[in-house]
Amino acid sequence: MPFIEDLAEIVGPAGLITDPSDLAPYNTDWRGRYHGDAAVVVKPASTAEVAAVVRACHDHRIAVVPQGGNTSQCGASIPRLGHGEIILNLSRMNRILATDWDNDTLTCEAGTVLATVQNVARQGGHLFPLSIASEGSAEIGGIISTNAGGTAVLRYGNMRSLVLGLEVVLPDGQIWNGLRGLRKDNTGYDLKQWFIGAEGTLGIITAAVLRLFSLPHVRATAWVALDSPRDAVALLGYLKTRSGDRVTGFELVSRSALQMVLLHIPGSHDPLSQPSPWYVLVEMDDTDPGSDPHGVLESSLAEALRSGMIIDAALAQSEAQADTLWALREQISEAQKLEGISIKHDISVPVSRIPDLIEEATARLEAQYPGIRLLCFGHVGDGNLHYNLSKPNLLDNAAFIEQTLAVNRIVHDTVDRLGGSISAEHGIGQLKVDELVRYKNPVELELMKRIKHTLDPLGLMNPGKIFRTTK
Amino acid sequence: MKVLVPVKRVLDYNIKARPKADGSGVELSGLKMSMNPFDEIAMEAAIRFKEAGQASEIIAISCGTQACQETLRTALALGADRAILVETDEALQPLAVAKLLKVLVLREQPGLVICGKQAIDDDANQTGQMLAALLGWAQATFASRIELGSDRASVTREIDGGLETLSITLPAVITTDLRLNEPRYATLPNIMKAKKKPLETLTPADLGVDVTSRLTLLKVAEPPARQGGIKVNDVAELLDKLKNEAKVI
């Protein structure tokens, strides 16, 4: 097959995978929900090689699925069955290209693992703030392409606000070098924004200039028990007025989510002696070593306790205790996986509407499906909730899972009515293509399709993701 | 029975220790300081004795600079009833601390002293043993399980190849190992209550103890950096390197 020979010539034997057993991990997402049938995985080692591969695909009219650490939540990194797509994996392109400490920027290739970027920045006395549960595997290119969020969005924003420049290989194989480390650059359209969150449908990101921040020296962490999401929102507002922008983390955890972690993750303990229906994990930090976030957090929470906004709180007295509290939050996904299948939603609403969302959606679901178990956790600070549903009994649950579409309708209709989004940080991928059509404004959807057609008229870049394509 | 728990303020376990630029000690300025993790375990053991009705009062003691008050407030928030700070800017060595503790033990007359088996900053693993010797008390070190009777304690300790159980007479000094328990978190209501609990400040002179260092610290230095491994392409290259570079064959 001349196409594969072309590829082999470009990337050499080290960059080409065709053995079926070696292909398997690339063709499956980490949740095991999607299985692709790519017969070839290409792993270029440079931007020039990516461009040459894309050009070859363009010439042969072969569709390309870009892939990084393959930790996607909605199947964007997995090819569709029966379309003869290939996977272009960027993991070999993992070099840090430059650090500019005075400009607070770091430039790296798209295959660099997030944890590596965090470490390099930290060693230089800087912070790269994006933090997600998969940071040991997820790669910068994929993180930009899904505009990932995570636990520090409240203070530092999501990936979009951390990208200053991009290098992109366009669908026809041209290279656009936009690796500029500028915070101000009003020279026409801000083209990089098109590729951020585009899930690889407009081109392949090969390198990026990322924003860095000063490294916080002190942090204070607390596990707070409260009665309701309404109290959580009130507490967030109160802490923000008390401490300015020092609140970096504000994670809501339902009792059911904590219980699942305690059940499935060995060595985990309830931080408080009495159960409570809801919790928040609060973190404040400061770059000034002389500041006292512990004191601020302690006195603010004491005030909240007196006014009845919270029930109780455990304050980490050491870094190890702070890490243990964060582990309770971060292990929810893993515990959930061990518990079994559930219907998941990654939704956002304005922070002020979070209590309404949880109350309304839960009431409607409980009326329709008695005995339902809600597992709710997420980044209240930025309006994003993971709102997952299952039934405790295995057989009941299997029947319940079959109702996914109806359940989604109830949850997403409520989200839509409250001015929210049906995909806050995971993207659309293959999973939410139909939901997007239902909830996206038609004008918006049409504009998106026009952009897609302008950049990728042949429809070769990650087809079938975000939109159902005709090709 | 009163229980006395010495707690030490140390560089937080999760912070990487680095020597000062001039090699005169470990860099501590601006870094997070916490209670020695083994002492947290000792504190938890004492609290559980009190909750079980076996201890009547828990006294936390710390010897060091004024900043140790913070560590004592944590101990009070966890469940100590009162605290004593022996304040000095002198760098304290285990023998000096053991002598200070001895005077306080004679004053307070506890039935039990529980302390961490070692502090994670100097890893000396001496204070508990020295205190027991100075008092002429029984000692059981590295406890992974403690059962208190009225005049004896049964202590299980982890040793090479298994577990050893000792029966010792009280009063005694027991030092704690990692697996004894899982320390609790300080909760907000308890932190607030702790602010009102008594914290007495004394000096070594008040206790009639000379804490002058008997050892002189010459230098603190990083261990030599280890070289990373390399990948070889084939057996021939491996043999070549073993023969000509490592010179082991």
Side-chain angles (χ1 to χ4, degrees), chain A residues 107-361:
Chain A
T107 308
C108 67
E109 290 182 324
T112 312
V113 169
L114 172 55
T116 307
V117 172
Q118 294 167 341
N119 287 337
V120 171
R122 197 173 297 121
Q123 279 158 18
H126 285 67
L127 171 76
F128 184 67
L130 194 93
S131 176
I132 52 181
S134 58
E135 62 199 21
S137 311
E139 295 172 8
I140 291 301
I143 290 170
I144 296 173
S145 295
T146 38
N147 184 25
T151 52
V153 173
L154 174 60
R155 164 110 162 243
Y156 298 101
N158 47 17
M159 195 60 177
R160 185 181 299 283
S161 51
L162 302 174
V163 174
L164 292 180
L166 285 184
E167 179 187 70
V168 181
V169 169
L170 301 171
D172 59 1
Q174 278 192 87
I175 299 169
W176 169 48
N177 185 335
L179 288 178
R180 288 184 290 263
L182 300 177
R183 285 166 182 79
K184 288 190 166 182
D185 177 17
N186 291 351
T187 51
Y189 301 145
D190 189 359
L191 294 178
K192 66 175 180 289
Q193 303 299 352
W194 284 20
F195 300 95
I196 302 173
E199 304 189 27
T201 59
L202 301 178
I204 298 180
I205 295 169
T206 47
V209 184
L210 305 175
R211 279 177 77 186
L212 305 178
F213 294 81
S214 304
L215 197 60
H217 281 277
V218 276
R219 65 167 175 169
T221 313
W223 182 264
V224 181
L226 22 74
D227 264 327
S228 66
R230 210 166 284 284
D231 287 342
V233 171
L235 178 65
L236 174 64
Y238 174 68
L239 290 179
K240 284 201 288 197
T241 39
R242 283 287 296 257
S243 74
D245 65 353
R246 271 184 292 195
V247 185
T248 41
F250 198 89
E251 298 286 308
L252 184 74
V253 177
S254 65
R255 174 74 194 168
S256 53
L258 174 66
Q259 271 173 324
M260 208 165 277
V261 172
L262 298 177
L263 182 68
H264 290 292
I265 307 292
S268 55
H269 297 273
D270 192 336
L272 296 167
S273 51
Q274 297 296 320
S276 148
W278 294 90
Y279 302 95
V280 283
L281 177 62
V282 186
E283 186 156 284
M284 287 186 185
D285 64 26
D286 208 301
T287 54
D288 171 11
S291 68
D292 180 23
H294 289 272
V296 175
L297 183 58
E298 191 183 304
S299 61
S300 311
L301 289 178
E303 194 51 48
L305 185 69
R306 266 190 289 273
S307 69
M309 203 183 281
I310 67 175
I311 302 170
D312 199 356
L315 279 87
Q317 302 293 315
S318 64
E319 289 293 303
Q321 285 193 340
D323 288 350
T324 311
L325 293 179
W326 272 106
L328 288 175
R329 160 66 184 86
E330 271 155 12
Q331 284 161 339
I332 295 173
S333 292
E334 185 62 27
Q336 198 174 221
K337 207 171 151 186
L338 293 168
E339 173 78 14
I341 194 164
S342 62
I343 305 177
K344 299 185 175 65
H345 304 95
D346 164 40
I347 51 188
S348 70
V349 288
V351 174
S352 51
R353 309 310 295 270
I354 285 176
D356 300 334
L357 171 70
I358 295 176
E359 283 167 20
E360 284 180 32

